Amino acid sequence: MGLLLGCVADDFTGATDLANTLVKGGMRTVQLLGPPSGPLDPHDCEAVVVALKSRTIPVADAVSQSLAAAEALRAAGARQLFFKYCSTFDSTDEGNIGPVAEALLEALGSDFTIACPAFPTAGRTIYKGYLFVGDELLSESGMKDHPLTPMRDANLVRVLARQSTRSVGLVPYAEVAQGPAAIRAAFDRLRHEGFGHAIVDALQDSHLLAIGEAAADIPLITGGSGVALGLPENFRKAGLLAGGASDSLPQVPGPAAVLSGSCSRATNGQVAAFLSQGGEAFALDPLALAEGESAVAGALDWARRRLGARPILVYSTAEPNAVAAAQEKLGREAAGSLVESALARIAEGLVEAGLRRLIVAGGETSGAVVSALGVTALRIGPEIDPGVPWTVSLDEPRLALALKSGNFGGPDFFTKAFERLS
Ligand code: ADP
């Protein structure tokens, strides 16, 4: 049926989160890694999410990359655009949310958009324009001390106004609670009063569904992945969704491995569970990596010889005291990049040796691995655990990939994931 929804996300994990939401809503979805380098091939899907890394780059770069992505999405047939940012509205007075939204509006020849980062399941709610993180105002949450985007004002109308040229209005809870018709009327009223943006209150998922329904005809929607919950239904009602399973993936046979560079509590538990079940595993030591190339060669050699039906694990995952010790000797950044580049090279070597099914644990680690493998596009498949879907790369060779950021997944994630694939 062709591309319906074109999305631009300001970071990689946010893009996956959105893509996963759309697939669960029934839209076949592809995620592109980085700005498209040429015309888009919509790959027989109904939504494309372009993952940028534009959250904290200079405004002009964020604007130009977002515009290029939007142009490619529209040229590929997208009927509606979605600009995805974090549910904690990560930004500064310079941007990048306001400037990117306004540039996209202009490109579309439109004059009104909504901004709704609410994600009640994750505790992000908006009431009278104030964003709450759990029980706290945004400005009293951990986000107030974020190193790059400290959020010291919880009033999103003010926050967005400081980074925008168009004025910012509010659709308050009282109107949102009345449902889609009232919300649509509020959009129309604000637009006629000359507002360019509307922050929209939302306290629960039903509000997001109503907002999504009310936004069916708005050319540009901005927000978190929550507000995308209601969008697939608009296309379904219009008879534009193909129907059938949106999460089916092509079969990718071949040897399997897990590469883990995350040191989060959840990942430590997953590695321990894999080991206790007798899984074959190789521990990478950052200090040995710092000694020279032979540590990577040794790990790769170990792994190559064991590639087969049973998944193997190569990991640098360690408990906090071991991580702190390595960081003290090598420096935090150096330890991180040594491990990332080692795991990326091991991934390359293993794919050359025939590896086709891969779980990567760690957000930064995943970024390093997919870029070393030259992956540019992923079809999004079934969810393994909340927020982590299986995907299949659309580049050659085809790879089944599950990219898990640190805190995601239950203790048996690795085994469960491979079982889902067979
Ligand atoms: P997460 O999603 O859990 O935050 P990331 O991959 O984003 O995981 O970040 C983990 C960081 O820690 C990476 O830069 C990785 O290279 C680094 N790292 C991994 N293992 C070790 C270790 N044993 N000692 C020090 N740093 C490590």
Side-chain angles (χ1 to χ4, degrees):
M1 291 256 196
L3 183 58
L4 302 171
L5 186 66
C7 311
V8 181
D10 70 356
D11 88 330
F12 178 79
T13 42
T16 309
D17 183 15
L18 172 61
N20 190 46
T21 301
L22 294 171
V23 168
K24 286 199 287 182
M27 297 183 86
R28 292 172 307 150
T29 304
V30 161
Q31 179 180 344
L32 301 184
L33 284 58
S37 50
L40 279 187
D41 171 2
H43 295 290
D44 181 33
C45 61
E46 290 134 351
V48 170
V49 182
V50 178
L52 301 178
K53 280 187 180 169
S54 55
R55 183 166 297 166
T56 54
I57 63 176
V59 176
D61 296 340
V63 164
S64 67
Q65 288 185 23
S66 306
L67 281 175
E71 210 164 290
L73 290 164
R74 290 179 69 209
R79 298 168 183 233
Q80 188 171 42
L81 288 186
F82 190 98
F83 170 37
K84 156 78 174 72
Y85 40 79
C86 189
S87 60
T88 42
F89 213 73
D90 303 20
S91 55
T92 68
D93 286 354
E94 282 68 54
N96 294 338
I97 295 175
V100 168
E102 296 194 336
L104 294 175
L105 271 181
E106 230 143 86
L108 288 168
S110 185
D111 58 3
F112 178 80
T113 183
I114 63 169
C116 184
F119 194 2
T121 324
R124 274 65 153 163
T125 53
I126 308 173
Y127 181 62
K128 302 206 177 205
Y130 286 81
L131 179 59
F132 289 81
V133 178
D135 296 331
E136 296 172 317
L137 281 169
L138 174 68
S139 50
E140 293 168 14
S141 75
M143 282 304 295
K144 73 179 188 300
D145 298 317
H146 189 281
L148 300 175
T149 51
M151 302 302 291
R152 301 262 161 87
D153 185 356
N155 184 310
L156 297 184
V157 174
R158 286 194 304 247
V159 172
L160 185 55
R162 284 196 293 270
Q163 39 178 294
S164 303
T165 57
R166 299 169 193 251
S167 51
V168 182
L170 173 71
V171 182
Y173 168 72
E175 277 169 317
V176 172
Q178 289 172 44
I183 301 170
R184 205 174 297 117
F187 292 165
D188 288 343
R189 188 189 68 240
L190 288 170
R191 190 169 166 224
H192 285 120
E193 287 171 1
F195 290 96
H197 309 263
I199 301 290
V200 191
D201 279 354
L203 300 184
Q204 56 201 48
D205 281 356
S206 64
H207 298 152
L208 292 174
L209 292 172
I211 294 162
E213 185 178 339
D217 298 322
I218 292 185
L220 171 70
I221 297 171
T222 87
S225 59
V227 76
L229 281 174
L231 302 184
E233 189 55 27
N234 295 336
F235 296 114
R236 190 173 292 113
K237 271 197 208 140
L240 294 168
L241 275 193
S246 52
D247 65 355
S248 56
L249 289 176
Q251 286 280 341
V252 182
V258 181
L259 297 177
S260 179
S262 157
C263 297
S264 70
R265 190 180 299 174
T267 308
N268 268 292
Q270 289 153 359
V271 167
F274 186 89
L275 296 177
S276 75
Q277 287 160 10
E280 290 220 78
F282 186 99
L284 279 179
D285 173 7
L287 299 177
L289 293 172
E291 299 285 304
E293 286 301 302
S294 64
V296 171
L300 193 48
D301 187 48
W302 176 92
R304 261 201 211 105
R305 282 193 271 124
R306 284 166 182 78
L307 271 191
R310 291 194 62 200
I312 55 166
L313 164 68
V314 178
Y315 67 104
S316 66
T317 304
E319 296 289 343
N321 52 355
V323 174
Q327 288 175 338
E328 197 160 306
K329 288 226 168 81
L330 303 169
R332 175 191 295 264
E333 298 250 313
S337 54
L338 260 178
V339 172
E340 283 169 33
S341 105
L343 287 170
R345 277 178 295 152
I346 292 166
E348 268 180 291
L350 290 181
V351 169
E352 262 167 44
L355 177 77
R356 292 296 179 266
R357 300 169 162 203
L358 176 62
I359 297 174
V360 188
E364 293 299 322
T365 309
S366 294
V369 167
V370 293
S371 84
L373 295 177
V375 174
T376 64
L378 299 170
R379 180 177 285 280
I380 308 297
E383 197 174 48
I384 306 160
D385 267 338
V388 199
W390 267 115
T391 71
V392 167
S393 68
L394 298 172
D395 312 88
E396 286 302 327
R398 291 281 165 103
L399 302 172
L401 289 168
L403 307 171
K404 183 195 88 76
S405 54
N407 283 316
F408 285 62
D412 59 346
F413 181 84
F414 299 153
T415 26
K416 179 174 168 187
F418 287 119
E419 279 166 15
R420 291 252 4 211
L421 210 52
S422 50

